[in-house]
Amino acid sequence: MSDLTDIAARRARTAPERPAHRDPNVLRWVGAYTASMVGDMVFFLALSWAAVQNGTPAQAGLVTAVSAVPRALLMLGGGVVADRLGPRRVVIGSDTVRCVTVLAVAAVLFAADPGLWLLALLAVVFGTVDAVFMPAVGALPARITHKDQLARVQGMRGLAIRFAAVVGAPLGGLGVALGGAAAAFAFAGLLIAVSVPLLISVRMRDLPADDASAARETTAWRDLVGGLRYVRRHRVLGPLMVAIALGDLGFVGPLNVGLTLLADERGWGASGMGWVLAGFGTGAGVAALLLTVRGRLPRAGCVAAGSIIPGAAAIAALAHAPGLPVAVGTAVLVGLLTGLSGAMCGALLQTQSDPAYLGRVTAVGGIVSLGIAPLSMPLSAAAIGVWGTGPVFAVSAAVCGLGGVVALCAPGVRRAELPK
C-alpha cells in the first residue's frame, strides 16, 4: 500500500502543471475578482448619479473624490495588513464589508432621502476598505499558482478589468433606470457578494516556514519600514517603481481630463470621446489577451521599458490627430503599447517580489498610481487652459517616456526575465 502511495506522490510531483487559464483554482479567483470589479463599476456609477441628484456639481465631485483620501493615506498600512494576516483572509473580509455597507445604504435610500452626508460616508468607507483590499489582491496570485504562471494571471486580471469597464457602466445605468440609485447600489452589493463564496473556495499555497515565522515575530511598524527598504534596495523593483510613477504621471492627465478637453476643442462631442476611450480599451485588452495566451514574453524588462517610449509618442500624436478616425486608431495604439508595458510591469512586480512582501510591494505601486498620478489631472486641466492641448500632451508624453528611459538605464530592469 505504501508503494502505491509513493508512486502516486511521485506522479503528482512530475505531472505537468496546468496553465493558469485552465486551472480551476485560478479561474475561481478570476471569477471572484471579475464579479468584484463589475460591482465596483456599478457602485461608482450609482454614487456619481446619486451625488448629482442630491447636490451641486461641485458637491458631487467632492463626494466622488473623497474616497481617494483614505485610500492614499492608508494603503501602505494596508499592505502590511495583507502580508501579516494573509491576502485571502483580507480580500474576503474586505468584500464582505463592502457588500454589507452598500446593501445597507441601498436599503436606506429605498426608505428615505438622507442627502449627501450618507453618500460621502459610503465613499470614505469604500476608500478605507480599498486601502487593504488592493494590496491583498496584488498579493493573492503568488499564493494560488506557480511562479511561472504569474504573468499569465496578470494578463487574465487585465482582461477582467477591461470586461468590468465595458459591462459595469451599462449595468449600472440599467439599475439606475429601473429603480434609481438605490437599485443600482443593491445590484452592486449583490455582485460583490458573488465574489465571497468563490474566494472561500480558492485553495492557498503556504509561504516557506521562515517567511511565515518572520512575519509573526516582527511588529507592524517594522514590517512597514522593512517593506519600503525592500523595494528601495531591490535591483528591479526600485527603478521599476520610479518608471511606473513617471509613466502614470504622464499618462493619467491626458487620458482623463485632457481627452475630455481635446474632444470639446475638436468638436468630437461625448460620443467621439467615447469612441476614443473604446479604442484605448481595445488596445489595452489586446495586450492583456496576448499575455494571457502566451504566458511569457522574452526579455520582459526590455519589453516593459521599450513599449513605454513609443506609447508616449502616441500620446503626443493624439493631440494632433486630424480627425476622429485617426484619433481612435491612435488611441488603439496608445492602449496596446501602454497596456503591454503596464501588464509587463505588473508581471515583473509579481515574479520579482518575495511572496512575503507582495502586499507591501503592491501597496507602494498603488500609492504611485492612485496617490501621486491623479495629482496630474488638475495640473493638466489648468495647463491646457493656458497653453492648449498640443503642448500639454507633448510635455505629458515626455514625462511618460522618461519612465521608459529610467527603466532602460537600470541594468536590473533591462535584464529582467519572467520565469520559464
Side-chain angles (χ1 to χ4, degrees):
M1 185 69 177
S2 60
D3 292 340
L4 293 176
T5 304
D6 292 340
I7 291 172
R10 285 197 299 271
R11 285 179 177 175
R13 286 193 298 267
T14 58
E17 298 173 5
R18 286 181 177 177
H21 62 287
R22 296 178 183 174
D23 185 343
N25 196 48
V26 175
L27 292 177
R28 285 194 295 272
W29 175 78
V30 173
Y33 181 71
T34 303
S36 183
M37 289 298 99
V38 175
D40 274 1
M41 292 296 297
V42 175
F43 164 78
F44 283 112
L45 188 143
L47 182 67
S48 300
W49 178 264
V52 168
Q53 296 299 306
N54 285 274
T56 66
Q59 290 172 329
L62 183 61
V63 167
T64 55
V66 73
S67 64
V69 177
R71 186 188 299 126
L73 293 177
L74 302 176
M75 190 170 293
L76 286 177
V80 174
V81 172
D83 286 335
R84 290 181 71 86
L85 299 182
R88 177 173 173 268
R89 185 184 304 175
V90 173
V91 172
I92 291 173
S94 300
D95 270 351
T96 301
V97 170
R98 297 196 305 164
C99 171
V100 171
T101 304
V102 174
L103 290 178
V105 169
V108 171
L109 289 177
F110 272 122
D113 184 12
L116 286 173
W117 70 266
L118 180 64
L119 300 177
L121 178 62
L122 177 61
V124 170
V125 170
F126 246 68
T128 303
V129 176
D130 276 351
V132 293
F133 173 80
M134 291 179 176
V137 165
L140 255 178
R143 309 285 186 93
I144 62 175
T145 190
H146 296 278
K147 202 166 189 176
D148 62 341
Q149 294 298 314
L150 287 176
R152 180 171 272 125
V153 172
Q154 189 68 21
M156 296 168 71
R157 184 179 173 187
L159 288 175
I161 292 172
R162 295 303 156 197
F163 176 82
V166 171
V167 173
L171 287 179
L174 179 62
V176 169
L178 293 177
F185 278 130
F187 192 25
L190 293 175
L191 283 167
I192 296 172
V194 170
S195 70
V196 176
L198 287 172
L199 287 167
I200 292 173
S201 70
V202 172
R203 300 187 309 274
M204 300 291 290
R205 301 171 65 220
D206 292 330
L207 286 177
D210 54 345
D211 290 339
S213 61
R216 288 193 298 268
E217 292 171 1
T218 61
T219 65
W221 176 253
R222 287 181 179 176
D223 280 353
L224 176 60
V225 174
L228 294 174
R229 186 181 296 119
Y230 174 76
V231 172
R232 180 173 59 85
R233 294 179 176 178
H234 200 285
R235 64 187 185 87
V236 176
L237 300 180
L240 196 61
M241 288 296 183
V242 176
I244 291 172
L246 290 170
D248 284 346
L249 278 171
F251 176 79
V252 169
L255 265 296
N256 285 275
V257 63
L259 181 59
T260 303
L261 296 174
L262 179 65
D264 181 65
E265 176 186 293
R266 297 296 182 85
W268 297 338
S271 62
M273 184 179 70
W275 278 108
V276 175
L277 287 173
F280 165 74
T282 300
V286 170
L289 181 61
L290 173 65
L291 196 56
T292 300
V293 173
R294 291 290 302 274
R296 180 183 184 275
L297 295 178
R299 302 182 65 82
C302 284
V303 172
S307 55
I308 295 176
I309 297 173
I315 290 174
L318 187 60
H320 302 283
L324 182 58
V326 176
V328 172
T330 305
V332 172
L333 185 61
V334 171
L336 179 63
L337 291 170
T338 59
L340 181 60
S341 65
M344 296 303 289
C345 285
L348 286 171
L349 291 180
Q350 287 282 321
T351 56
Q352 294 289 326
S353 300
D354 186 314
Y357 287 91
L358 255 176
R360 283 161 284 178
V361 171
T362 305
V364 173
I367 288 291
V368 166
S369 298
L370 300 173
I372 298 175
L375 297 176
S376 65
M377 289 193 285
L379 293 176
S380 296
I384 288 173
V386 176
W387 293 293
T389 54
V392 173
F393 270 61
V395 172
S396 297
V399 173
C400 187
L402 183 60
V405 173
V406 168
L408 287 174
C409 291
V413 178
R414 192 170 61 247
R415 298 168 186 166
E417 294 280 4
L418 297 176
K420 294 183 179 179

